[in-house]
Amino acid sequence: DVLDPDRLIQCPYNKHHRIRACRFPYHLVKCRKNYPEVAKELATCPFNARHLVPQADLSDHITKCNDKGFIEQDIVNQSSGFQREQMNAVSTWQAPPCDEDWET
């Protein structure tokens, strides 16, 4: 189950590390420091920071990443919500009275 916090995930820095999903983000930070040479070769997915792939494979990963759909849907929802707000918004703002006479 993808949502199971106790499922084991393989570490991208050391293939012998198997970490529970709930601890995985913390492990990534620790292992990035312990394996700086491997870290230089990996790229982070723009849709999910837990996805670390070889830099050469990043564009392929981006086209196939399952999390891309969630981000795209969020963008659609936000933009349509923003458009609805713009259509429904009626400004009640009025300029305050001005006592200045710039001609004098």
Side-chain angles (χ1 to χ4, degrees), residues 2-35:
V2 178
L3 300 176
D4 181 11
D6 290 325
R7 75 183 162 95
L8 295 177
I9 302 174
Q10 184 176 351
C11 174
Y13 299 105
N14 183 329
K15 303 301 180 191
H16 299 289
H17 292 174
R18 303 214 9 110
I19 303 91
R20 289 182 309 144
C22 62
R23 298 290 309 156
F24 194 65
Y26 307 105
H27 181 84
L28 287 177
V29 171
K30 185 179 107 181
C31 256
R32 182 179 299 127
K33 292 177 185 174
N34 292 338
Y35 298 96

Side-chain angles (χ1 to χ4, degrees), residues 6-79:
D6 290 325
R7 75 183 162 95
L8 295 177
I9 302 174
Q10 184 176 351
C11 174
Y13 299 105
N14 183 329
K15 303 301 180 191
H16 299 289
H17 292 174
R18 303 214 9 110
I19 303 91
R20 289 182 309 144
C22 62
R23 298 290 309 156
F24 194 65
Y26 307 105
H27 181 84
L28 287 177
V29 171
K30 185 179 107 181
C31 256
R32 182 179 299 127
K33 292 177 185 174
N34 292 338
Y35 298 96
E37 292 304 313
V38 178
K40 289 178 187 176
E41 298 172 10
L42 297 177
T44 304
C45 170
F47 305 114
N48 187 334
R50 296 178 185 185
H51 297 169
L52 295 168
V53 296
Q55 290 181 1
D57 299 340
L58 182 61
S59 60
D60 184 50
H61 172 82
I62 287 172
T63 60
K64 298 176 182 175
C65 182
N66 292 335
D67 292 329
K68 181 169 77 170
F70 297 122
I71 301 297
E72 290 172 341
Q73 188 59 47
D74 283 347
I75 291 169
V76 168
N77 290 343
Q78 287 177 355
S79 65

